[in-house]
Amino acid sequence: MRRMDTKTTTEKTGESAESAEGAESAKTAEAGPAEDTAVVVLDKQADDAADDLTDDEDDLLSDEAAPAPSGIGGAAAAMVSAALGAVALTGTWTGKVVSERETLLGQIKTSGSGTPAQQISEIYGDAWHSTALVNGVFSLVALFVAVLVLILPGRPTWVRSVAVAGAVLGGLGLLLSAGTYFDLFLSLPTAGS
């Protein structure tokens, strides 16, 4: 407010800025306390308005700078659950290694003294069951991750859809693994057949 008065005084009289400020201070001194108070109140209101604008700009900048939750973790977990469910259905490298190990152990145990029923059980049955066990663990992990993604709030629809697919694949893999482990679908061959 004072600068505007100084500028108009300088423009009207053609004096330098220093003499204009001196004239203004003399004018303020002559005007009395009522005009002084009005100038102080107007200056305070102008400062408050400038502070409000600065706060609004800071809020806008902080809103833009704050990272929005992207949901990358939930999306990745949903994809992992679907992949684990699919892998549990098709078989894993780990299951194959465990199966071959059980086959080797069965051959060592029954190398010279095992009956045909023992050989079938030790060589094939244990390998079959260990593969089903490993695939069941993968299915269980897939099901757990999928359920975890589904119970967390604020996930996009496509993430929830992939998590449901992972849960279905994990559940199906768990059922098939349990059926294979307990010989519900196919039983081990017998020595007589």
Side-chain angles (χ1 to χ4, degrees), residues 22-183:
E24 184 181 332
S25 62
K27 190 182 203 183
T28 307
E30 292 172 3
E35 226 174 89
D36 245 354
T37 306
V39 169
V40 169
V41 168
L42 288 176
D43 282 347
K44 175 125 176 79
Q45 288 175 350
D47 288 344
D48 290 344
D51 288 343
D52 289 344
L53 285 175
T54 305
D55 291 342
D56 290 343
E57 289 171 356
D58 288 344
D59 290 343
L60 286 174
L61 289 175
S62 66
D63 288 345
E64 291 173 3
S70 61
I72 291 175
M79 296 295 281
V80 165
S81 71
L84 285 173
V87 164
L89 288 174
T90 60
T92 64
W93 176 80
T94 308
K96 184 171 175 64
V97 169
V98 170
S99 173
E100 289 176 359
R101 181 181 184 276
E102 288 297 322
T103 300
L104 181 62
L105 287 175
Q107 289 173 349
I108 292 170
K109 285 181 186 176
T110 61
S111 63
S113 61
T115 65
Q118 285 177 328
Q119 288 178 349
I120 291 171
S121 176
E122 293 289 331
I123 295 172
Y124 299 107
D126 289 349
W128 181 320
H129 294 147
S130 61
T131 300
L133 186 64
V134 170
N135 290 343
V137 168
F138 273 84
S139 297
L140 192 61
V141 171
L143 190 60
F144 175 75
V145 171
V147 168
L148 186 66
V149 170
L150 288 172
I151 63 172
L152 292 176
R155 300 289 175 222
T157 305
W158 74 269
V159 171
R160 297 177 77 71
S161 299
V162 173
V164 167
V168 168
L169 289 172
L172 186 60
L174 196 59
L175 288 174
L176 291 175
S177 296
T180 304
Y181 186 81
F182 293 111
D183 298 326

